[in-house]
Amino acid sequence: MKQLRIGMIGYKFMGKAHSNAYRSLPMFFPKALKPEMSVICGRNAEDLDKARDQFGWAESVTDWKDLISREDIDLIDINAPSNAHKEIALAAVKAGKHIFCEKPLALNLADSREMLQAAEEAGVAHMVGFNYRFSPAVRLAKKLVESGRLGKIYHFRACFLQDWILDPEFPLVWRLQKEIAGSGSHGDLGAHLIDLAHFLVGDMQEVIGMSETFIKERPLATEMTGLSAKGDTNAPKGAVTVDDATLFLARFVNGAIGSFEATRFAAGHRSTNSFEINGSLGSVKFDFERMNELEVYLTSDAEDVQGFRRVLATDPAHEYAEAWWPPGHTIGFEHTFIHEMLELSSAIEEGRQPVPNFHDGVKCQAVLEAVERSIDERRWVELSEM
Amino acid sequence: MKQLRIGMIGYKFMGKAHSNAYRSLPMFFPKALKPEMSVICGRNAEDLDKARDQFGWAESVTDWKDLISREDIDLIDINAPSNAHKEIALAAVKAGKHIFCEKPLALNLADSREMLQAAEEAGVAHMVGFNYRFSPAVRLAKKLVESGRLGKIYHFRACFLQDWILDPEFPLVWRLQKEIAGSGSHGDLGAHLIDLAHFLVGDMQEVIGMSETFIKERPLATEMTGLSAKGDTNAPKGAVTVDDATLFLARFVNGAIGSFEATRFAAGHRSTNSFEINGSLGSVKFDFERMNELEVYLTSDAEDVQGFRRVLATDPAHEYAEAWWPPGHTIGFEHTFIHEMLELSSAIEEGRQPVPNFHDGVKCQAVLEAVERSIDERRWVELSEM
Amino acid sequence: MKQLRIGMIGYKFMGKAHSNAYRSLPMFFPKALKPEMSVICGRNAEDLDKARDQFGWAESVTDWKDLISREDIDLIDINAPSNAHKEIALAAVKAGKHIFCEKPLALNLADSREMLQAAEEAGVAHMVGFNYRFSPAVRLAKKLVESGRLGKIYHFRACFLQDWILDPEFPLVWRLQKEIAGSGSHGDLGAHLIDLAHFLVGDMQEVIGMSETFIKERPLATEMTGLSAKGDTNAPKGAVTVDDATLFLARFVNGAIGSFEATRFAAGHRSTNSFEINGSLGSVKFDFERMNELEVYLTSDAEDVQGFRRVLATDPAHEYAEAWWPPGHTIGFEHTFIHEMLELSSAIEEGRQPVPNFHDGVKCQAVLEAVERSIDERRWVELSEM
Amino acid sequence: MKQLRIGMIGYKFMGKAHSNAYRSLPMFFPKALKPEMSVICGRNAEDLDKARDQFGWAESVTDWKDLISREDIDLIDINAPSNAHKEIALAAVKAGKHIFCEKPLALNLADSREMLQAAEEAGVAHMVGFNYRFSPAVRLAKKLVESGRLGKIYHFRACFLQDWILDPEFPLVWRLQKEIAGSGSHGDLGAHLIDLAHFLVGDMQEVIGMSETFIKERPLATEMTGLSAKGDTNAPKGAVTVDDATLFLARFVNGAIGSFEATRFAAGHRSTNSFEINGSLGSVKFDFERMNELEVYLTSDAEDVQGFRRVLATDPAHEYAEAWWPPGHTIGFEHTFIHEMLELSSAIEEGRQPVPNFHDGVKCQAVLEAVERSIDERRWVELSEM
């Protein structure tokens, strides 16, 4: 493989993050196969062309089918709303394109399995956008777990707390509509926690959850982008059809136990994506709002100086750090995508599947859906049921 | 009521904390009815007399029945192991004594209800030792909730994390034996979280939990006190019959949802008793390892300076603070007991029930047991079932 | 020595802290020589008697000369305002009494030297009240420095930040009057930092400072106690004759360099007594508002987990901790005094000088005065000049 | 002005940061005048061409005089070592080029004044690279000061702590040689603190400092880039001719007082660029290792919830934030340069001087040099002397 010509569908929050990642990869990881920012695709031609110019794409098209049928595209990047993922992905792999798909892979488990199977049969590379895996501090956590330095894992506890819809007058954006978004905080935020749990601890055996929609009706949105939107207090109201918060407990196959919470109603938390792992030899804590840091506790420390140490994951000893700035000079949210695209590009160059891929997407979807089933049926659900 | 003559049963960790509280109350709260440290009671005469002299009790007796039969005792303080609470309490209230009982009230809900009923019928004052309510920072949280400054409560999440039995060679102390302790982390640590939830959020409607005993056998203990103990690696082993960790989810009557975790296997956490409350107008966070602090977020702050503020609850505006030292001069764990004894003493003087009392103890026990049932039967349990 | 009968002069903020320490010592350190709380002394008979009863002293006298002349007193504790220290101390040592004197030892270096000489000639035990040395976390810092685990010391930086007189209408209490207090933030707060520097790093060679009185006039006080006071905005005003803030730089004899800042005008800092030490092998950080914690960095940590660890100095490995509560159960401000009295009592029992003693008080005074001279003369002042 | 064609001299640490900023500006601030990345210049042709391709420059030249003589260049960006700044800048402005120069402007005050004068006479735009001004959290601090929300400023205290040369075997890189770097921690790190003080508090009136070179000889470097380097322990040694640490005290014209510390010997501090401001109505704290956060204290908060709040400067209410990601999604070190280039580009488009410009560079140099003089002459130095 000597080139990687990208066709990207979607140009909002994630489209911007992906564009920036493709654009930045060659500068900071010059040895990686360089993504060509060939074609951007979206439905509103005017906005799309603005995005094309701003983000640095060569061309734009408004019909994704046109994009997929092009010979000069190697990879389709899907970051359109969740309800569009499946149809596009199936068409893309049928056309022999590699595929990068934002999470959640699909609106349900069956769809995501169909996507995985199609991609596997087509023999293309497939990746799913669990970007938080690519924080250097999370990589350090992974390294500590995998090397056994934390010992046997007992506990995983994770929260993804936001507050952007706390105001009951915040309008009914697409992320609050089940038919487009699939689910609310569960699929949007919880999905990231589930993937981190899979990455760091392993597979789950059974789950039980609960969820709540605190504000059941909201004014219709007049304008929306990213996580912000404008509404009109006097606008007609529509029903919120997704969860505002979902919590669940889990038992992992390896004997660890876990708790998960995703909510958009945690006042003061703009985006607290945090987890803690406790093992027999140590613990780690992570909070995305301080994403350059990992707190690490090791039982092997001398008995008079035991404590959680705040490791700034910007040293040469930390993955990705040398590509950036000297120790102590931090990076931000967008860098997780650059590292993600490094994995995508490297995997394609090396002829292997990127990680995380559709297998991970399916696995995440299985847990999401098992939790939903456990809520509906008010009982523990085994992952083997799914 | 002009005097409050105490007879205390137990002289280990809690006995020391209570003694110090009785001893300190008149100095720091001189207007309160002064507790007389009359008689201390325990089974080992030699250790008991040492404790009597060290803690400042006037007399000692080795049989609690002798203590209860004395005319010159107004209140019985029970901090013996949990399996002794019920019998002593029933006898004490029968003898017309006021009663202060450490948590958990009893080994099960039925027993604790029996204790409550007996105390009510006897017309005595009864209090239960949920000391964490008496941290000034927790009082501040209560004030913010109760005054409506946090708005409608959506979330309560609480963890009580310790690591003192992380070492598999740590011996089998009484706290790890069901017949003495009732339960493990659940009743020891979780009980405090449940009481804080009752205090700060209100009653629960339903719960579902999970628990785990990570280390199933341990060497028998040769010596133990407080939370420390000595064993011998070559000692015969016995079965751990309580939970090492218990987690549960809850739905409150007022619509809030909560998650609870109690564990003794969280490496690096010596005693992280922490909770967070999220409401429609703000949030608070508390961690007992930094017990003088409450983190407070208010949505009413100006939009450019919104953030969790670290309030040091040592100002005159904070409950109890003026009895102590100037602002910024902190207090510690033991002070929660002094404030607790202030409530005990004040209530008795004023002829009202102290808070928290056996009602709260029963309510806590009901949740503990509902969680246990939910674990046994793998289903949600309504509190109304209990 | 079989008894230690205390006569204490002063009954306000420090008198309360000392009383509590004497009272608590036997309970928590039962092997120590027990202080007898014999006589408390103060000028206002009514307030004094209230303090006597509240704090637990056997007797009270209003004339300190009467106290000193008594045969049945072994030790005089001086915590009256600073301008009274010298006369009382000289009389006390002349009467053969051991002496515990609050800092600052005296209003100036000459006086403090006279006090030291008199005490030495009288052959009595003498101690000075630098209580912050007795925080377990500070002891840990000392241990790390002294054992060489931090290597060669390069930097010491310390701030004692308060804000209790930030309001320009806060009245003119005695601590703001030079003739009574000697100096302002410098002698009150800076003195503690200087002593910690002596304790942790060693002697200074030269200093240069600056100071400022931001609010030059204040309403006269109508009532004052501890650090609080009441005034009347319409009251006549008087001149503030001490510094509101004093900063200085220092070179230590061992080659380390230091910066010091003491201020009462740091909004938001109720009592931030903090220092950091950087050595060739590691660093420590301390903040009294989180007095149970020491942050420790060691260059010997594995390269991927280097970071400041938050050590909670409540483990058995930490000095004093076992006398208190289980790990993770914190102590507060008042405990520093209990540990201080343990040193006082132990030293007297063992027939040695307590540490810190008047030598340390003189050394601190020398630095305080060298800084003042450096401010007056706008030049570096060598300690050897003093 | 319709275009801004850049010629950049230097391609190491700062060259990479600047390139990334030019490259990113149009994507995140699409309305800004777009910088054209025309020509990059450096002495080593091979490395230079690699940088050209990696960073995205159109052309490269090895002689900066060739660059300056080109007609098709509008702005010269100088990030070569400090000793080269003056000659290049003078030539550039003589050729009528706008100029962006990294700090420190020159090796001494006289040179920097000459540069300012030349630039002013040439009528070109001139900017100096104090990038930390461009952190959103620092902008928020500025806004709070300027709007009076912190009241009258009393204190400024700032530290820039690093530890990259703590190891005595770390080689003698150019930053440790006076003839190339001008000074050590003082000009490298202290300069940033001085500029922040100017930005946030105002001009200084007088200063006094001290400095130290802890390790006086080091092995010669065999290879160096950014802040890292390789050496050989057996290599011949050379003298370190700059300061390892410099501290100073300052009095500001507006009556505030300040302390400054810059060191490369603070173990555990990779890049702690921190300051605190205390005013009559509030305080702010900043630490670059957590650059997205500003801690804010306001005396106007209700008395029971006063405390430093941790403001995450990623909300729409914060400068620059809307160009990036949703609230709670952080940015990093490199973003300060993008914002810097936004100011550069905007100022040139609007025909005004960018801020900070050579006036600020000169003012910083004056303080740097006043501090050096105060060290040499061991006395307070007035800025008016300079």
Side-chain angles (χ1 to χ4, degrees), chain A residues 154-155 157 159 161 163 166 206 208-212 214-215 245 247-251 255-259 261 263 265-270 276 278-283 285 297 299 306 308 374 378-380 382, chain B residues 154-155 157 159 161 163 166 206 208-212 214-215 245 247-251 255-259 261 263 265-270 276 278-283 285 297 299 306 308 374 378-380 382:
Chain A
Y154 293 131
H155 286 289
R157 72 186 63 84
C159 290
L161 311 177
D163 66 357
L166 188 64
E206 55 174 6
I208 190 157
M210 75 187 301
S211 72
E212 186 59 69
F214 296 112
I215 302 297
L247 286 73
F248 68 97
L249 304 176
R251 194 173 295 275
I257 57 181
S259 83
E261 177 167 3
T263 180
F265 275 72
H269 292 276
R270 297 300 189 257
E276 175 165 352
N278 305 126
S280 60
L281 300 179
S283 294
K285 289 195 265 188
Y297 177 88
T299 60
Q306 297 205 334
F308 276 92
S374 82
R378 291 175 60 80
R379 64 170 182 90
W380 284 90
E382 302 267 334
Chain B
Y154 293 131
H155 288 287
R157 71 187 66 81
C159 291
L161 310 178
D163 66 357
L166 188 64
E206 56 174 6
I208 190 158
M210 75 187 302
S211 72
E212 185 59 68
F214 296 112
I215 302 296
L247 286 74
F248 68 97
L249 303 177
R251 193 173 296 275
I257 57 181
S259 83
E261 177 167 2
T263 181
F265 275 73
H269 293 275
R270 295 301 189 257
E276 175 164 352
N278 306 125
S280 59
L281 300 179
S283 295
K285 290 194 265 188
Y297 177 89
T299 60
Q306 298 206 333
F308 276 92
S374 83
R378 292 177 58 81
R379 64 169 181 91
W380 282 91
E382 302 268 332

Side-chain angles (χ1 to χ4, degrees), chain A residues 5-56:
Chain A
R5 295 161 301 186
I6 315 283
M8 183 176 86
I9 302 163
Y11 58 95
K12 298 288 179 75
F13 175 16
M14 279 301 113
K16 188 176 170 188
H18 290 203
S19 296
N20 183 58
Y22 293 128
R23 203 179 57 84
S24 296
L25 188 64
M27 170 150 181
F28 293 99
F29 297 91
K31 291 179 188 156
L33 174 64
K34 185 184 171 185
E36 300 298 330
M37 296 174 71
S38 303
V39 186
I40 188 170
C41 171
R43 281 171 298 188
N44 181 316
E46 191 182 350
D47 289 356
L48 177 68
D49 288 354
K50 231 160 67 179
R52 178 197 60 205
D53 295 345
Q54 183 178 343
F55 300 168

Side-chain angles (χ1 to χ4, degrees), chain D residues 352-367:
Chain D
R352 61 172 175 83
Q353 280 299 349
V355 177
N357 54 47
F358 282 16
H359 286 284
D360 302 283
V362 166
K363 218 158 71 172
C364 178
Q365 204 79 39
V367 174

